[in-house]
């Protein structure tokens, strides 16, 4: 009986193309990855950054490095003709105080994908490495991560849809949007160059059109509030 089962199994395996086996295995691995991603993001790391413990005031040494790095990134993007703007909490700090928010630990820029992809990857990366600045692209979240020591700058990339809006780029945002409660999007007009500039740490830096309008999409439920870490004084936007 056992020998018959083995014989049948061998014959069945012989008739299954290896390509089909590879496809099934790849789908299995992909399914495991998707399950891990959803559980990891939705249940383990879904807490917003402003609900996590953090210093109320970023040390001045780190803040100075952060300011200098943001200028360096903007200068490189400008040199490469990549239109960009301040965004997220960095934009709030610029609009309200002309500075980075006291507790912020990074600086955010927003760019259109068509703008930054117009520059060849090696050329883009080379300009940052020439300034001894670490630079890499996070394909999962659709962001460029740039750091120099404790200072970090995030370039958030958005792609244009056929419906006159932009969506956050990245593997998860493009292919796992059905797991998102509200996919991040806003009208294209807010991120179309050219941009006006406002004072930011004694320099002129580009901001999106209509000033705070973009924040209504980036922070849909509480865009009018300045969010500081737990235990720090809160302020109204």
């Amino acid at each position: 009986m056992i020998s018959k089962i083995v014989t049948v199994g061998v014959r069945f395996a012989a008739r299954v193309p290896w390509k089909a086996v590879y496809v099934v295995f790849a789908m299995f691995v992909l399914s495991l990855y998707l399950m891990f991603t959803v559980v990891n993001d939705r249940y383990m790391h879904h807490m917003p950054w402003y609900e996590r413990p953090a210093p109320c005031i970023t040390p001045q040494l780190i803040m100075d490095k952060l300011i200098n790095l943001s200028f360096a990134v903007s200068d490189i993007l400008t040199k490469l003709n990549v239109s960009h703007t301040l965004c997220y909490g960095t934009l709030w700090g610029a609009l309200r105080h002309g500075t980075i928010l006291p507790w912020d630990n990074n600086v955010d820029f927003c760019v259109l994908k068509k703008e930054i992809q117009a520059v060849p990857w090696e050329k883009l990366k080379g300009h940052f490495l020439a300034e001894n600045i670490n630079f890499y692209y996070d394909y999962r979240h659709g962001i460029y991560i740039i750091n120099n020591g404790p200072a970090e700058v995030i370039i958030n990339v958005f792609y244009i849809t056929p419906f006159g809006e932009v969506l956050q780029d990245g593997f998860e945002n493009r292919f796992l949007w059905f797991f998102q409660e509200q996919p991040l999007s806003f009208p294209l007009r807010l991120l179309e160059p050219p941009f006006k500039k406002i004072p930011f740490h004694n320099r002129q830096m580009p901001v999106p059109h209509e000033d705070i309008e973009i924040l209504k999409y980036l922070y849909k439920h509480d865009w009018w509030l300045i969010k500081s870490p737990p235990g720090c004084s809160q302020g109204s936007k």
Side-chain angles (χ1 to χ4, degrees):
M1 181 67 178
I2 296 177
S3 61
K4 289 183 178 180
I5 294 175
V6 172
T7 301
V8 172
V10 171
R11 289 177 179 175
F12 176 77
R15 289 197 296 266
V16 177
W18 279 109
K19 288 184 178 180
V21 175
Y22 292 144
V23 170
V24 171
F25 179 74
M27 292 178 65
F28 173 73
V29 172
L30 179 60
S31 298
L32 288 179
Y33 171 77
L34 295 180
M35 290 174 60
F36 169 78
T37 299
V38 172
V39 172
N40 187 53
D41 286 351
R42 182 173 287 269
Y43 299 107
M44 297 178 63
H45 296 287
H46 195 58
M47 182 184 296
W49 68 267
Y50 50 77
E51 293 182 7
R52 302 171 187 171
C56 296
I57 298 179
T58 299
Q60 190 59 48
L61 178 63
I62 297 178
M63 183 62 75
D64 290 342
K65 290 180 177 294
L66 196 54
I67 295 168
N68 291 334
L69 181 60
S70 67
F71 292 161
V73 170
S74 182
D75 288 342
I76 291 173
L77 293 178
T78 300
K79 185 176 181 179
L80 295 172
N81 295 315
V82 178
S83 298
H84 57 285
T85 73
L86 299 176
C87 61
Y88 287 98
T90 308
L91 177 60
W92 258 133
L95 292 173
R96 184 168 181 136
H97 307 292
T99 63
I100 299 171
L101 293 172
W103 50 80
D104 242 346
N105 55 10
N106 62 25
V107 165
D108 281 288
F109 288 99
C110 284
V111 302
L112 290 176
K113 185 171 184 176
K114 68 175 185 177
E115 290 275 330
I116 200 163
Q117 280 204 331
V119 182
W121 168 255
E122 291 301 325
K123 182 177 181 180
L124 181 63
K125 185 176 181 179
H127 273 72
F128 285 96
L129 295 181
E131 301 294 332
N132 295 316
I133 299 173
N134 296 318
F135 174 89
Y136 69 95
Y137 185 65
D138 180 348
Y139 288 92
R140 178 180 172 185
H141 298 103
I143 58 176
Y144 291 89
I145 301 176
I146 302 159
N147 55 63
N148 188 2
E152 182 179 76
V153 168
I154 304 295
I155 300 178
N156 301 271
V157 182
F158 293 85
Y159 67 94
I160 304 172
T161 73
F163 306 105
E165 63 177 359
V166 295
L167 290 170
Q168 179 92 43
D169 200 24
F171 172 79
E172 289 188 5
N173 297 307
R174 282 180 178 264
F175 301 107
L176 300 181
W177 57 267
F178 43 84
F179 288 113
Q180 299 176 355
E181 295 178 3
Q182 290 183 317
L184 179 56
S185 66
F186 50 83
L188 173 60
R189 71 176 191 276
L190 302 178
L191 207 57
E192 279 190 306
F195 304 106
K196 72 174 184 179
K197 295 184 178 182
I198 65 172
F200 182 72
H201 290 284
N202 299 317
R203 271 192 55 170
Q204 296 291 311
M205 295 288 278
V207 295
H209 300 295
E210 302 179 37
D211 295 332
I212 67 170
E213 186 66 20
I214 194 172
L215 295 174
K216 297 178 182 179
Y217 298 90
L218 298 178
Y219 303 108
K220 296 181 180 181
H221 302 297
D222 51 11
W223 61 269
W224 60 93
L225 296 175
I226 289 182
K227 292 288 189 175
S228 56
C232 305
S233 61
Q234 301 284 337
S236 297
K237 287 178 177 177

